[in-house]
Amino acid sequence: MSHIAIDARIISSTTGRYVERLLHYLEQIDTTNEYSVLVRKKDENYWQPTNPNFHVKVAHFDDYSFSEQLGFKSFLDKLAPDLVHYCMPQQPILYKGNHVTTVHDLTLLSSYNSDKNWLVFHAKQLVGRYVFKKIGKTSTFIMSGTNYTKKAYAQFAHIPLEKIVVTPYAAEIQVGQVAAYPTPSKAFIMYVGQQSDYKNIRRLGDAHQELLKTHPDLGLVLVGKKNASALINEAYFTKKNYKNIHFTGFVSDEQLNWLYQNCQAYVFPSLSEGFGLPGLEAMAHGAPVISSNATCLPEVYGDAAQYFDPNNTMEMATEIAKVLDTQKLRDDLIKKGKVKVAEYSWERCAKQTHQVYMDALATKTAEQ
């Protein structure tokens, strides 16, 4: 029996769905090994194990901090697991124990978010570049959600492709109760999620205003908490006197279900993604998806999305109009979307991840 520690400090973040689903299925897959699930203090009761071999432990260390580099390393040294799975790249780089790392994307290394302090963000970016390169050498294996990220990371970190295992994510949606959301516009396109600069929301707003010339009643609904980046975008649209754009703020799961089911299309304008789960979630709800053709998105969505160049506002508007105006295209995208979603499985992701654990443990045993 081996002792495996899973660094789940991101479990309540936007990437936390990956960790939660992974744990859910690992509990079913592995009844032999012992697991320590490491979370921040605030998340001590966020996830409760059902397998007696899984134990939640508090590891309260901030990302890219001295406490992470020194305190977390000391914590892991005392815990002495046979393997650590870091679910994000941030980790104590001096830790010598056997470990594997999930690299979701390289967005931190190439983007800047205007809601952040410029100096602090770029300092974090410099640290991030060093950490991303270092962990490529120290991790026994790296996992990523797509071949795009695998190739991009291998090139950045100068490591062989064979060291990186692709474990695709999934959109495991149980479409439940719905509750109508009072949208200002009866017909609307929508986006769900964060609104950091690389999500390209301003260009989506620009494209929407172009669409109003031919679709004067069309709304754009931007779903998500009104955090700093959302407020910046809202102020930008207000200053430009843009019409029919609505920021929802927080919505319930029931309202989100209704929005997905009643939108004319889901538009994903992102400049950079590691997988692109929101588009798959929209497909699962039966919404036609119109997506950026950047980074990994064509790999993940295949022929189940209508694509545009995210840097070309007019092309974005043109492709959205095609889906709005062509019923056959809409129907084809909805049908293909249902098929595409079924190709992905969190259970399979967990099984592939568990195999990486076993391979990493066997590799270290062979070296000893």
Side-chain angles (χ1 to χ4, degrees), residues 2-8 18-19 21-23 25-27 29-30 33-37 54 82-87 98-102 140-143 165 167 349-365:
S2 296
H3 178 195
I4 300 169
I6 298 180
D7 178 7
Y18 163 76
V19 182
R21 288 290 83 190
L22 180 62
L23 291 170
Y25 285 107
L26 279 175
E27 283 192 293
I29 293 165
D30 193 342
N33 296 299
E34 180 186 355
Y35 286 81
S36 292
V37 180
F54 283 67
D82 299 296
L83 179 69
V84 179
H85 175 195
Y86 297 108
C87 292
N98 189 9
H99 60 278
V100 297
T101 302
T102 299
T140 304
F141 293 106
I142 297 289
M143 286 174 280
V165 182
T167 58
C349 175
K351 287 179 177 177
Q352 292 168 330
T353 302
H354 181 261
Q355 187 58 54
V356 171
Y357 295 170
M358 298 303 101
D359 292 345
L361 289 165
T363 298
K364 287 302 178 183
T365 299

Short mmCIF file of all heavy atoms in Angstrom, two decimals, residues 2-8 18-19 21-23 25-27 29-30 33-37 54 82-87 98-102 140-143 165 167 349-365:
data_model
loop_
_atom_site.label_atom_id
_atom_site.label_comp_id
_atom_site.label_asym_id
_atom_site.label_seq_id
_atom_site.Cartn_x
_atom_site.Cartn_y
_atom_site.Cartn_z
N SER A 2 0.53 2.21 -0.83
CA SER A 2 1.27 3.47 -0.92
C SER A 2 0.44 4.61 -0.34
O SER A 2 -0.79 4.55 -0.29
CB SER A 2 1.62 3.78 -2.37
OG SER A 2 2.49 2.80 -2.90
N HIS A 3 1.14 5.65 0.08
CA HIS A 3 0.50 6.86 0.61
C HIS A 3 0.64 7.95 -0.45
O HIS A 3 1.75 8.36 -0.79
CB HIS A 3 1.17 7.27 1.92
CG HIS A 3 0.61 8.52 2.50
ND1 HIS A 3 1.26 9.23 3.49
CD2 HIS A 3 -0.53 9.22 2.23
CE1 HIS A 3 0.55 10.29 3.81
NE2 HIS A 3 -0.53 10.31 3.06
N ILE A 4 -0.50 8.42 -0.98
CA ILE A 4 -0.51 9.44 -2.04
C ILE A 4 -1.15 10.70 -1.49
O ILE A 4 -2.25 10.67 -0.93
CB ILE A 4 -1.30 8.93 -3.26
CG1 ILE A 4 -0.66 7.65 -3.82
CG2 ILE A 4 -1.37 10.01 -4.35
CD1 ILE A 4 -1.52 6.93 -4.85
N ALA A 5 -0.45 11.82 -1.63
CA ALA A 5 -0.99 13.13 -1.21
C ALA A 5 -1.44 13.89 -2.45
O ALA A 5 -0.72 13.94 -3.45
CB ALA A 5 0.07 13.92 -0.46
N ILE A 6 -2.63 14.46 -2.38
CA ILE A 6 -3.16 15.27 -3.49
C ILE A 6 -3.26 16.71 -3.02
O ILE A 6 -3.99 17.02 -2.07
CB ILE A 6 -4.53 14.74 -3.95
CG1 ILE A 6 -4.39 13.31 -4.49
CG2 ILE A 6 -5.11 15.65 -5.03
CD1 ILE A 6 -5.69 12.70 -4.96
N ASP A 7 -2.50 17.58 -3.66
CA ASP A 7 -2.54 19.00 -3.32
C ASP A 7 -3.82 19.60 -3.93
O ASP A 7 -3.87 19.95 -5.11
CB ASP A 7 -1.30 19.70 -3.88
CG ASP A 7 -1.30 21.20 -3.60
OD1 ASP A 7 -2.19 21.67 -2.87
OD2 ASP A 7 -0.41 21.90 -4.13
N ALA A 8 -4.85 19.69 -3.10
CA ALA A 8 -6.17 20.15 -3.55
C ALA A 8 -6.47 21.56 -3.06
O ALA A 8 -7.64 21.92 -2.87
CB ALA A 8 -7.24 19.18 -3.06
N TYR A 18 -12.11 20.33 -11.53
CA TYR A 18 -11.17 19.27 -11.91
C TYR A 18 -10.78 18.43 -10.69
O TYR A 18 -10.80 17.19 -10.73
CB TYR A 18 -9.93 19.88 -12.54
CG TYR A 18 -8.72 18.98 -12.62
CD1 TYR A 18 -8.64 17.97 -13.57
CD2 TYR A 18 -7.65 19.15 -11.74
CE1 TYR A 18 -7.52 17.14 -13.64
CE2 TYR A 18 -6.53 18.34 -11.81
CZ TYR A 18 -6.47 17.33 -12.76
OH TYR A 18 -5.37 16.51 -12.83
N VAL A 19 -10.45 19.09 -9.59
CA VAL A 19 -10.01 18.39 -8.38
C VAL A 19 -11.16 17.59 -7.76
O VAL A 19 -11.01 16.42 -7.40
CB VAL A 19 -9.45 19.38 -7.34
CG1 VAL A 19 -8.95 18.64 -6.11
CG2 VAL A 19 -8.34 20.21 -7.95
N ARG A 21 -13.97 16.42 -9.13
CA ARG A 21 -14.36 15.25 -9.94
C ARG A 21 -13.30 14.16 -9.88
O ARG A 21 -13.61 12.97 -9.83
CB ARG A 21 -14.61 15.66 -11.38
CG ARG A 21 -15.87 16.48 -11.64
CD ARG A 21 -17.15 15.64 -11.46
NE ARG A 21 -17.57 15.55 -10.07
CZ ARG A 21 -18.53 14.73 -9.65
NH1 ARG A 21 -19.13 13.92 -10.49
NH2 ARG A 21 -18.88 14.71 -8.38
N LEU A 22 -12.05 14.56 -9.87
CA LEU A 22 -10.95 13.61 -9.77
C LEU A 22 -11.06 12.83 -8.47
O LEU A 22 -10.98 11.59 -8.45
CB LEU A 22 -9.61 14.35 -9.84
CG LEU A 22 -8.35 13.50 -9.75
CD1 LEU A 22 -8.26 12.53 -10.90
CD2 LEU A 22 -7.11 14.42 -9.71
N LEU A 23 -11.27 13.52 -7.36
CA LEU A 23 -11.40 12.86 -6.06
C LEU A 23 -12.63 11.95 -6.03
O LEU A 23 -12.57 10.83 -5.50
CB LEU A 23 -11.50 13.91 -4.96
CG LEU A 23 -10.23 14.72 -4.67
CD1 LEU A 23 -10.54 15.87 -3.73
CD2 LEU A 23 -9.14 13.83 -4.08
N TYR A 25 -14.07 10.22 -8.32
CA TYR A 25 -13.88 8.94 -9.01
C TYR A 25 -12.69 8.15 -8.48
O TYR A 25 -12.71 6.92 -8.48
CB TYR A 25 -13.78 9.16 -10.52
CG TYR A 25 -15.12 9.46 -11.13
CD1 TYR A 25 -15.44 10.74 -11.56
CD2 TYR A 25 -16.10 8.47 -11.23
CE1 TYR A 25 -16.69 11.02 -12.10
CE2 TYR A 25 -17.35 8.74 -11.77
CZ TYR A 25 -17.64 10.02 -12.21
OH TYR A 25 -18.88 10.29 -12.74
N LEU A 26 -11.66 8.84 -7.99
CA LEU A 26 -10.54 8.11 -7.39
C LEU A 26 -11.00 7.29 -6.20
O LEU A 26 -10.52 6.18 -5.97
CB LEU A 26 -9.44 9.10 -6.95
CG LEU A 26 -8.48 9.61 -8.01
CD1 LEU A 26 -7.55 10.66 -7.41
CD2 LEU A 26 -7.66 8.46 -8.61
N GLU A 27 -11.96 7.83 -5.43
CA GLU A 27 -12.49 7.09 -4.28
C GLU A 27 -13.09 5.75 -4.71
O GLU A 27 -13.06 4.78 -3.97
CB GLU A 27 -13.57 7.92 -3.59
CG GLU A 27 -13.04 9.03 -2.71
CD GLU A 27 -14.14 9.59 -1.84
OE1 GLU A 27 -15.08 10.21 -2.37
OE2 GLU A 27 -14.07 9.40 -0.61
N ILE A 29 -12.25 4.16 -7.65
CA ILE A 29 -11.27 3.38 -8.40
C ILE A 29 -10.26 2.70 -7.49
O ILE A 29 -9.89 1.54 -7.70
CB ILE A 29 -10.52 4.31 -9.40
CG1 ILE A 29 -11.47 4.80 -10.48
CG2 ILE A 29 -9.32 3.61 -10.01
CD1 ILE A 29 -10.94 5.98 -11.26
N ASP A 30 -9.79 3.40 -6.46
CA ASP A 30 -8.68 2.91 -5.63
C ASP A 30 -9.13 2.68 -4.19
O ASP A 30 -9.34 3.63 -3.43
CB ASP A 30 -7.52 3.92 -5.67
CG ASP A 30 -6.23 3.35 -5.11
OD1 ASP A 30 -6.29 2.32 -4.41
OD2 ASP A 30 -5.16 3.92 -5.40
N ASN A 33 -4.84 2.02 -1.78
CA ASN A 33 -3.86 2.99 -1.30
C ASN A 33 -4.48 4.03 -0.37
O ASN A 33 -5.69 4.25 -0.37
CB ASN A 33 -3.20 3.68 -2.49
CG ASN A 33 -2.41 2.70 -3.35
OD1 ASN A 33 -1.47 2.08 -2.88
ND2 ASN A 33 -2.81 2.53 -4.60
N GLU A 34 -3.60 4.64 0.43
CA GLU A 34 -4.04 5.69 1.36
C GLU A 34 -3.84 7.05 0.72
O GLU A 34 -2.81 7.31 0.08
CB GLU A 34 -3.24 5.60 2.66
CG GLU A 34 -3.62 6.66 3.68
CD GLU A 34 -2.71 6.64 4.90
OE1 GLU A 34 -1.85 5.75 4.98
OE2 GLU A 34 -2.87 7.53 5.75
N TYR A 35 -4.81 7.96 0.89
CA TYR A 35 -4.75 9.29 0.29
C TYR A 35 -4.88 10.38 1.34
O TYR A 35 -5.76 10.31 2.21
CB TYR A 35 -5.87 9.47 -0.74
CG TYR A 35 -5.65 8.72 -2.04
CD1 TYR A 35 -5.94 7.36 -2.13
CD2 TYR A 35 -5.16 9.36 -3.16
CE1 TYR A 35 -5.74 6.66 -3.31
CE2 TYR A 35 -4.96 8.68 -4.36
CZ TYR A 35 -5.25 7.33 -4.42
OH TYR A 35 -5.06 6.65 -5.60
N SER A 36 -4.02 11.38 1.23
CA SER A 36 -4.16 12.60 2.02
C SER A 36 -4.55 13.72 1.06
O SER A 36 -3.82 13.99 0.10
CB SER A 36 -2.85 12.96 2.73
OG SER A 36 -2.54 12.02 3.73
N VAL A 37 -5.72 14.32 1.29
CA VAL A 37 -6.22 15.40 0.43
C VAL A 37 -5.94 16.71 1.15
O VAL A 37 -6.50 16.99 2.21
CB VAL A 37 -7.73 15.22 0.16
CG1 VAL A 37 -8.24 16.35 -0.73
CG2 VAL A 37 -7.99 13.85 -0.49
N PHE A 54 -9.33 7.77 2.36
CA PHE A 54 -9.11 9.17 2.00
C PHE A 54 -9.28 10.05 3.22
O PHE A 54 -10.28 9.92 3.95
CB PHE A 54 -10.09 9.60 0.90
CG PHE A 54 -9.73 9.11 -0.48
CD1 PHE A 54 -9.79 7.75 -0.78
CD2 PHE A 54 -9.36 9.99 -1.47
CE1 PHE A 54 -9.48 7.29 -2.04
CE2 PHE A 54 -9.03 9.54 -2.74
CZ PHE A 54 -9.09 8.19 -3.04
N ASP A 82 4.42 8.72 -0.37
CA ASP A 82 5.19 8.05 -1.43
C ASP A 82 5.08 8.82 -2.75
O ASP A 82 5.94 8.67 -3.62
CB ASP A 82 4.68 6.63 -1.62
CG ASP A 82 4.83 5.80 -0.36
OD1 ASP A 82 5.98 5.58 0.06
OD2 ASP A 82 3.80 5.39 0.22
N LEU A 83 4.02 9.61 -2.88
CA LEU A 83 3.80 10.38 -4.11
C LEU A 83 2.94 11.59 -3.78
O LEU A 83 2.00 11.50 -2.99
CB LEU A 83 3.09 9.52 -5.17
CG LEU A 83 2.76 10.21 -6.50
CD1 LEU A 83 4.05 10.51 -7.29
CD2 LEU A 83 1.82 9.36 -7.34
N VAL A 84 3.26 12.72 -4.40
CA VAL A 84 2.42 13.92 -4.30
C VAL A 84 1.91 14.26 -5.70
O VAL A 84 2.68 14.25 -6.66
CB VAL A 84 3.20 15.14 -3.75
CG1 VAL A 84 2.29 16.37 -3.69
CG2 VAL A 84 3.77 14.84 -2.37
N HIS A 85 0.61 14.54 -5.79
CA HIS A 85 0.04 15.07 -7.03
C HIS A 85 -0.30 16.53 -6.81
O HIS A 85 -1.21 16.85 -6.04
CB HIS A 85 -1.22 14.30 -7.44
CG HIS A 85 -1.91 14.89 -8.64
ND1 HIS A 85 -3.20 14.56 -8.99
CD2 HIS A 85 -1.48 15.78 -9.58
CE1 HIS A 85 -3.54 15.23 -10.09
NE2 HIS A 85 -2.52 15.98 -10.46
N TYR A 86 0.46 17.42 -7.44
CA TYR A 86 0.14 18.84 -7.42
C TYR A 86 -0.87 19.11 -8.52
O TYR A 86 -0.57 18.93 -9.71
CB TYR A 86 1.40 19.69 -7.65
CG TYR A 86 2.46 19.52 -6.59
CD1 TYR A 86 3.64 18.83 -6.85
CD2 TYR A 86 2.30 20.07 -5.32
CE1 TYR A 86 4.63 18.69 -5.89
CE2 TYR A 86 3.28 19.93 -4.35
CZ TYR A 86 4.44 19.24 -4.64
OH TYR A 86 5.42 19.10 -3.69
N CYS A 87 -2.06 19.55 -8.15
CA CYS A 87 -3.13 19.77 -9.13
C CYS A 87 -2.99 21.08 -9.88
O CYS A 87 -3.80 21.38 -10.77
CB CYS A 87 -4.49 19.68 -8.45
SG CYS A 87 -4.89 18.01 -7.88
N ASN A 98 8.91 12.14 -4.55
CA ASN A 98 8.30 11.74 -5.82
C ASN A 98 7.01 12.54 -6.03
O ASN A 98 6.14 12.58 -5.14
CB ASN A 98 8.00 10.24 -5.76
CG ASN A 98 7.56 9.67 -7.09
OD1 ASN A 98 7.64 10.32 -8.13
ND2 ASN A 98 7.13 8.42 -7.07
N HIS A 99 6.87 13.17 -7.18
CA HIS A 99 5.66 13.96 -7.42
C HIS A 99 5.32 14.06 -8.91
O HIS A 99 6.19 13.93 -9.77
CB HIS A 99 5.77 15.37 -6.82
CG HIS A 99 6.90 16.20 -7.36
ND1 HIS A 99 8.20 16.07 -6.91
CD2 HIS A 99 6.93 17.16 -8.31
CE1 HIS A 99 8.97 16.93 -7.54
NE2 HIS A 99 8.23 17.60 -8.42
N VAL A 100 4.04 14.27 -9.17
CA VAL A 100 3.53 14.53 -10.52
C VAL A 100 2.76 15.84 -10.46
O VAL A 100 2.28 16.24 -9.39
CB VAL A 100 2.63 13.38 -11.02
CG1 VAL A 100 3.42 12.09 -11.14
CG2 VAL A 100 1.41 13.20 -10.12
N THR A 101 2.61 16.50 -11.61
CA THR A 101 1.99 17.83 -11.64
C THR A 101 1.02 17.94 -12.80
O THR A 101 1.32 17.47 -13.91
CB THR A 101 3.06 18.93 -11.78
OG1 THR A 101 3.98 18.84 -10.69
CG2 THR A 101 2.42 20.31 -11.78
N THR A 102 -0.12 18.58 -12.56
CA THR A 102 -1.04 18.91 -13.65
C THR A 102 -0.78 20.35 -14.09
O THR A 102 -0.83 21.27 -13.27
CB THR A 102 -2.51 18.77 -13.22
OG1 THR A 102 -2.76 17.41 -12.83
CG2 THR A 102 -3.44 19.14 -14.37
N THR A 140 7.98 13.65 -11.89
CA THR A 140 8.17 12.37 -12.56
C THR A 140 7.34 12.32 -13.84
O THR A 140 7.80 11.83 -14.87
CB THR A 140 7.75 11.22 -11.61
OG1 THR A 140 8.51 11.33 -10.40
CG2 THR A 140 8.03 9.86 -12.26
N PHE A 141 6.13 12.84 -13.77
CA PHE A 141 5.28 13.01 -14.96
C PHE A 141 4.53 14.33 -14.85
O PHE A 141 4.30 14.84 -13.75
CB PHE A 141 4.26 11.87 -15.09
CG PHE A 141 4.86 10.53 -15.39
CD1 PHE A 141 4.92 9.55 -14.40
CD2 PHE A 141 5.37 10.23 -16.65
CE1 PHE A 141 5.47 8.31 -14.65
CE2 PHE A 141 5.93 8.98 -16.91
CZ PHE A 141 5.98 8.02 -15.92
N ILE A 142 4.16 14.86 -16.01
CA ILE A 142 3.28 16.03 -16.10
C ILE A 142 1.98 15.56 -16.74
O ILE A 142 1.99 14.72 -17.64
CB ILE A 142 3.91 17.14 -16.97
CG1 ILE A 142 5.21 17.65 -16.35
CG2 ILE A 142 2.92 18.29 -17.19
CD1 ILE A 142 5.04 18.47 -15.09
N MET A 143 0.85 16.10 -16.28
CA MET A 143 -0.43 15.82 -16.92
C MET A 143 -1.02 17.11 -17.48
O MET A 143 -0.84 18.19 -16.90
CB MET A 143 -1.40 15.19 -15.91
CG MET A 143 -1.08 13.75 -15.58
SD MET A 143 -2.13 13.09 -14.26
CE MET A 143 -1.32 13.75 -12.81
N VAL A 165 1.52 13.32 -20.00
CA VAL A 165 0.37 12.45 -20.27
C VAL A 165 -0.89 13.30 -20.39
O VAL A 165 -1.18 14.12 -19.51
CB VAL A 165 0.19 11.41 -19.14
CG1 VAL A 165 -0.98 10.49 -19.45
CG2 VAL A 165 1.48 10.62 -18.92
N THR A 167 -4.67 13.82 -20.08
CA THR A 167 -5.83 13.27 -19.35
C THR A 167 -7.00 14.24 -19.56
O THR A 167 -7.22 15.12 -18.74
CB THR A 167 -5.52 13.12 -17.85
OG1 THR A 167 -5.16 14.41 -17.31
CG2 THR A 167 -4.36 12.16 -17.62
N CYS A 349 -10.91 10.28 -16.99
CA CYS A 349 -9.83 11.17 -16.56
C CYS A 349 -9.21 10.67 -15.26
O CYS A 349 -7.98 10.64 -15.11
CB CYS A 349 -10.37 12.60 -16.38
SG CYS A 349 -9.17 13.79 -15.73
N ALA A 350 -10.05 10.26 -14.32
CA ALA A 350 -9.56 9.75 -13.02
C ALA A 350 -8.78 8.44 -13.20
O ALA A 350 -7.75 8.23 -12.56
CB ALA A 350 -10.72 9.56 -12.05
N LYS A 351 -9.29 7.56 -14.07
CA LYS A 351 -8.59 6.30 -14.33
C LYS A 351 -7.22 6.55 -14.96
O LYS A 351 -6.22 5.90 -14.58
CB LYS A 351 -9.44 5.41 -15.23
CG LYS A 351 -10.63 4.79 -14.55
CD LYS A 351 -11.44 3.92 -15.51
CE LYS A 351 -12.61 3.25 -14.80
NZ LYS A 351 -13.44 2.46 -15.74
N GLN A 352 -7.16 7.48 -15.89
CA GLN A 352 -5.88 7.81 -16.53
C GLN A 352 -4.91 8.43 -15.52
O GLN A 352 -3.71 8.13 -15.52
CB GLN A 352 -6.12 8.77 -17.70
CG GLN A 352 -6.87 8.15 -18.86
CD GLN A 352 -7.35 9.17 -19.87
OE1 GLN A 352 -7.65 10.32 -19.53
NE2 GLN A 352 -7.44 8.78 -21.14
N THR A 353 -5.46 9.28 -14.64
CA THR A 353 -4.63 9.92 -13.61
C THR A 353 -4.11 8.88 -12.63
O THR A 353 -2.94 8.90 -12.23
CB THR A 353 -5.45 10.99 -12.87
OG1 THR A 353 -5.93 11.97 -13.82
CG2 THR A 353 -4.60 11.69 -11.81
N HIS A 354 -4.98 7.94 -12.24
CA HIS A 354 -4.56 6.88 -11.33
C HIS A 354 -3.45 6.04 -11.95
O HIS A 354 -2.50 5.63 -11.25
CB HIS A 354 -5.77 5.99 -10.99
CG HIS A 354 -5.45 4.89 -10.04
ND1 HIS A 354 -5.21 3.59 -10.44
CD2 HIS A 354 -5.32 4.89 -8.68
CE1 HIS A 354 -4.95 2.85 -9.39
NE2 HIS A 354 -5.01 3.60 -8.30
N GLN A 355 -3.52 5.81 -13.25
CA GLN A 355 -2.46 5.06 -13.92
C GLN A 355 -1.14 5.82 -13.89
O GLN A 355 -0.07 5.23 -13.73
CB GLN A 355 -2.85 4.75 -15.37
CG GLN A 355 -1.87 3.84 -16.09
CD GLN A 355 -1.71 2.50 -15.39
OE1 GLN A 355 -2.69 1.80 -15.13
NE2 GLN A 355 -0.47 2.13 -15.06
N VAL A 356 -1.22 7.16 -14.01
CA VAL A 356 -0.01 7.98 -13.88
C VAL A 356 0.59 7.81 -12.49
O VAL A 356 1.81 7.69 -12.33
CB VAL A 356 -0.33 9.47 -14.17
CG1 VAL A 356 0.87 10.36 -13.82
CG2 VAL A 356 -0.72 9.66 -15.64
N TYR A 357 -0.27 7.79 -11.46
CA TYR A 357 0.21 7.56 -10.10
C TYR A 357 0.97 6.24 -10.01
O TYR A 357 2.08 6.17 -9.46
CB TYR A 357 -0.95 7.51 -9.10
CG TYR A 357 -1.74 8.76 -8.90
CD1 TYR A 357 -2.94 8.74 -8.18
CD2 TYR A 357 -1.33 9.99 -9.41
CE1 TYR A 357 -3.68 9.88 -7.96
CE2 TYR A 357 -2.08 11.14 -9.21
CZ TYR A 357 -3.26 11.08 -8.49
OH TYR A 357 -4.00 12.21 -8.27
N MET A 358 0.35 5.18 -10.52
CA MET A 358 0.96 3.85 -10.45
C MET A 358 2.29 3.81 -11.22
O MET A 358 3.28 3.22 -10.76
CB MET A 358 0.00 2.79 -10.99
CG MET A 358 -1.32 2.65 -10.24
SD MET A 358 -1.12 2.29 -8.46
CE MET A 358 -1.40 3.92 -7.73
N ASP A 359 2.33 4.46 -12.38
CA ASP A 359 3.55 4.50 -13.16
C ASP A 359 4.65 5.29 -12.45
O ASP A 359 5.83 4.91 -12.47
CB ASP A 359 3.30 5.12 -14.54
CG ASP A 359 2.42 4.23 -15.43
OD1 ASP A 359 2.26 3.03 -15.09
OD2 ASP A 359 1.89 4.73 -16.45
N ALA A 360 4.27 6.40 -11.80
CA ALA A 360 5.24 7.20 -11.07
C ALA A 360 5.81 6.44 -9.88
O ALA A 360 7.02 6.49 -9.59
CB ALA A 360 4.59 8.51 -10.60
N LEU A 361 4.94 5.72 -9.16
CA LEU A 361 5.40 4.91 -8.04
C LEU A 361 6.32 3.79 -8.51
O LEU A 361 7.35 3.51 -7.89
CB LEU A 361 4.19 4.32 -7.30
CG LEU A 361 3.35 5.32 -6.49
CD1 LEU A 361 2.00 4.70 -6.11
CD2 LEU A 361 4.09 5.80 -5.24
N ALA A 362 5.97 3.17 -9.63
CA ALA A 362 6.80 2.08 -10.18
C ALA A 362 8.13 2.60 -10.66
O ALA A 362 9.17 1.95 -10.50
CB ALA A 362 6.06 1.38 -11.32
N THR A 363 8.13 3.80 -11.26
CA THR A 363 9.37 4.40 -11.75
C THR A 363 10.36 4.64 -10.62
O THR A 363 11.55 4.32 -10.72
CB THR A 363 9.07 5.74 -12.47
OG1 THR A 363 8.24 5.47 -13.61
CG2 THR A 363 10.35 6.42 -12.94
N LYS A 364 9.87 5.19 -9.53
CA LYS A 364 10.75 5.47 -8.38
C LYS A 364 11.24 4.18 -7.73
O LYS A 364 12.36 4.09 -7.27
CB LYS A 364 10.03 6.37 -7.37
CG LYS A 364 9.88 7.80 -7.83
CD LYS A 364 11.24 8.43 -8.13
CE LYS A 364 11.11 9.84 -8.64
NZ LYS A 364 12.43 10.44 -9.01
N THR A 365 10.36 3.16 -7.68
CA THR A 365 10.76 1.88 -7.10
C THR A 365 11.87 1.25 -7.93
O THR A 365 12.84 0.71 -7.38
CB THR A 365 9.54 0.93 -7.05
OG1 THR A 365 8.52 1.52 -6.22
CG2 THR A 365 9.93 -0.42 -6.48
#
